[in-house]
Amino acid sequence: MRRAVVLGGSVAGLFAARVLRDHADDVVILDAEDTGEDGAGRGAPQRHQLHALLSMGHTQLERWFPGITGELVAGGARLGTGPEVQFYVDGALKAPVADIRMLGATRPFVENHVRRRVAALPNVRVLPGQARGLLFGAGRVRGVRYSAPEDTSAASGHESELDADLVVDAMGRSSRLGSWLLRGGWDHAPLDRMRIDLGYATAVFRRGDELPDTVVAHASPGPASGYQPTLSEPGAMVAVEDNRWMVVLAGYTDHRPGRDPDEFLARMRRCVGPLREIADRCAMDGGVRTFHFRESRRRDFTRLSRFPGGLVAVGDSVASVNPIYGQGLTLAALQASCLAAALRAGAAPHDPAWEYFRRAGVVVEAAWQVSATADLAQPHVKGPYPRGYRLVRWAGDKVMEASVIDSRVNQAFMDVVHMRRHPKTLTHPRLLARAARVLSTR
């Protein structure tokens, strides 16, 4: 194809641009946001929160940007493997998983390295500007309307046009794709929503010589506590660049954490050992940042009967699920890989992207099933219930209990958590039989 235009320069847009550089002569990232030197920007306040790059996300990162892990580690990131990555359920440390790999770094740090890699590609360029709408013609999207940074006010009326063979919506949860499609005479994708009312808060601590063998520690409630934080506070900590610890605490409804540093430290001391040690030994660097995540959402483009050619969507504009499961960055990377697979299979950019949406739908469904099944265990979450919920919930509870004790069961469980395997593997008779044997010998 001659030109692809990516709307949005965040992680999802950057991954999409990297994929498209193999298929388009000219790739344009239309980016309305100046992220600044710290990479934080103003348009995505959640960038300041702790982000996880799951094992599958790390695999995809290295696939599309070979050698970037070494660059990140050389710049101060930590790579945790085996026992350096610790998961707790109801305060108990789970059985070790030898092949687990997680990167300890802040999102702006990772994003800046990815952005530099993408910007260095010879056929990729970044165009500052705000997308204002799509250009339609002959049953497809043929380009975008946009305004330059100095003309971004709605009253300015100064707009330009950019033609494209393929447009990628990477505008996140605030995407206006639905309204643009309706304006062009097309239907918008059906939207599934699950109200979860989650709050989380992140603080940074100066890191010294404490916990030298820990890169990641994650604590969550489990079936034994009815998924309520009765045995330990839910939270996580990661060793990140610049010799810092980044700590996040989470809670639902009235248990959402606030900005008070003393309250934050008190909750850390009700969590598992590594977080207690950070609270007791390390100085907080700056204040506490909070974020409120009201609902998970996903748009199912495969349920449409017609769709314009020359258009795909990636990242949070397709699906945005409960962030405490750390799936967001990995989902964006996997969707980019789905786009690459569809294009390699011969999908024509001017045709409706059914092949891409089918592939991406499998990935989104897996992530939704993991997050929705866990969220529905919370008494205030009322649905909608995914297909097969009772079986998946029962199997997941049994496997989670056994995973605290048995490394092989935990390997299977963590493969699902880290998006290396589909959630349906948790219902495999052989795994359930092993979990039953493990639990019967307690």
Side-chain angles (χ1 to χ4, degrees):
M1 75 185 87
R2 188 177 66 85
R3 178 182 291 151
V5 176
V6 180
L7 307 181
S10 190
V11 171
L14 293 170
F15 266 100
R18 167 59 189 89
V19 164
L20 289 169
R21 66 91 61 190
D22 296 337
H23 301 273
D25 298 329
D26 182 27
V27 179
V28 179
I29 303 173
L30 187 62
D31 194 2
E33 185 180 9
D34 180 8
T35 55
E37 292 185 4
D38 64 355
R42 299 182 305 276
Q46 69 273 21
R47 278 195 180 107
H48 294 286
Q49 302 292 331
L50 176 62
H51 281 70
L53 190 64
L54 303 179
S55 289
M56 177 53 78
H58 184 211
T59 298
Q60 296 297 317
L61 179 70
E62 192 65 30
R63 172 191 177 186
W64 292 111
F65 304 98
I68 196 170
T69 301
E71 292 177 14
L72 293 166
V73 171
R78 293 282 305 277
L79 180 62
T81 60
E84 295 175 322
V85 179
Q86 301 161 13
F87 281 80
Y88 296 78
V89 174
D90 286 333
L93 179 62
K94 297 182 70 175
V97 175
D99 68 345
I100 197 168
R101 289 163 59 91
M102 290 192 73
L103 193 65
T106 64
R107 172 174 166 176
F109 184 76
V110 175
E111 199 167 343
N112 279 344
H113 278 75
V114 172
R115 184 175 291 107
R116 284 198 292 269
R117 283 285 197 104
V118 172
L121 297 171
N123 58 335
V124 177
R125 55 193 172 104
V126 177
L127 178 63
Q130 175 74 58
R132 296 296 185 187
L134 299 175
L135 303 173
F136 294 93
R140 72 176 183 90
V141 172
R142 60 178 183 84
V144 299
R145 292 186 294 105
Y146 73 97
S147 56
E150 62 270 17
D151 299 319
T152 53
S153 69
S156 70
H158 295 104
E159 292 183 348
S160 301
E161 294 185 355
L162 187 65
D163 66 297
D165 296 298
L166 181 66
V167 173
V168 179
D169 172 18
M171 295 182 289
R173 282 174 69 94
S174 60
S175 169
R176 299 174 298 283
L177 180 61
S179 61
W180 292 349
L181 287 169
L182 289 173
R183 195 181 308 159
W186 301 86
D187 294 330
H188 59 74
L191 177 65
D192 295 325
R193 311 169 80 152
M194 178 177 287
R195 178 85 179 191
I196 62 173
D197 197 16
L198 170 77
Y200 54 102
T202 294
V204 174
F205 295 80
R206 289 194 286 273
R207 176 159 51 95
D209 59 359
E210 67 283 336
L211 301 172
D213 300 321
T214 301
V215 175
V216 176
H218 180 279
S220 62
S225 60
Y227 289 92
Q228 298 301 301
T230 53
L231 299 180
S232 72
E233 287 278 347
M237 49 172 270
V238 177
V240 300
E241 72 277 4
D242 297 329
N243 292 316
R244 296 174 296 167
W245 294 106
M246 187 169 259
V247 177
V248 64
L249 301 175
Y252 295 92
T253 60
D254 295 336
H255 197 65
R256 299 199 305 265
R259 292 188 175 91
D260 182 357
D262 291 335
E263 178 204 355
F264 192 91
L265 291 170
R267 290 178 72 142
M268 286 180 66
R269 292 186 174 102
R270 296 196 297 269
C271 198
V272 294
L275 275 81
R276 293 197 300 269
E277 185 163 350
I278 298 303
D280 291 338
R281 296 186 57 186
C282 300
M284 188 181 293
D285 187 4
V288 178
R289 297 177 182 268
T290 60
F291 192 77
H292 187 194
F293 187 89
R294 292 177 175 81
E295 63 180 16
S296 294
R297 304 175 187 171
R298 65 171 174 177
R299 292 174 174 84
D300 190 352
F301 291 87
T302 64
R303 285 155 59 186
L304 292 169
S305 59
R306 56 191 289 269
F307 194 73
L311 179 65
V312 299
V314 297
D316 284 356
S317 63
V318 177
S320 176
V321 296
N322 188 332
I324 66 173
Y325 308 115
Q327 298 168 312
L329 299 183
T330 302
L331 257 181
L334 285 170
Q335 287 168 350
S337 294
C338 290
L339 178 58
L343 292 171
R344 285 198 307 270
H350 289 180
D351 293 338
W354 299 123
E355 175 67 14
Y356 162 72
F357 285 123
R358 182 188 65 78
R359 292 174 182 268
V362 174
V363 175
V364 170
E365 171 62 26
W368 183 271
Q369 192 172 108
V370 168
S371 64
T373 300
D375 288 338
L376 286 166
Q378 301 292 331
H380 70 283
V381 179
K382 304 302 182 184
Y385 288 82
R387 183 182 303 173
Y389 165 74
R390 292 186 182 278
L391 174 60
V392 174
R393 165 78 185 279
W394 175 83
D397 285 355
K398 296 303 180 186
V399 171
M400 179 185 281
E401 287 186 59
S403 72
V404 177
I405 308 167
D406 186 83
S407 290
R408 285 178 59 184
V409 174
N410 196 30
Q411 177 76 68
F413 185 82
M414 297 306 289
D415 280 347
V416 172
V417 169
H418 283 263
M419 301 187 73
R420 296 189 292 196
R421 296 286 185 273
H422 194 276
K424 67 182 180 182
T425 60
L426 296 183
T427 63
H428 194 283
R430 192 175 303 164
L431 177 63
L432 292 176
R434 183 175 182 89
R437 288 196 301 271
V438 168
L439 296 175
S440 68
T441 60
R442 286 192 303 179

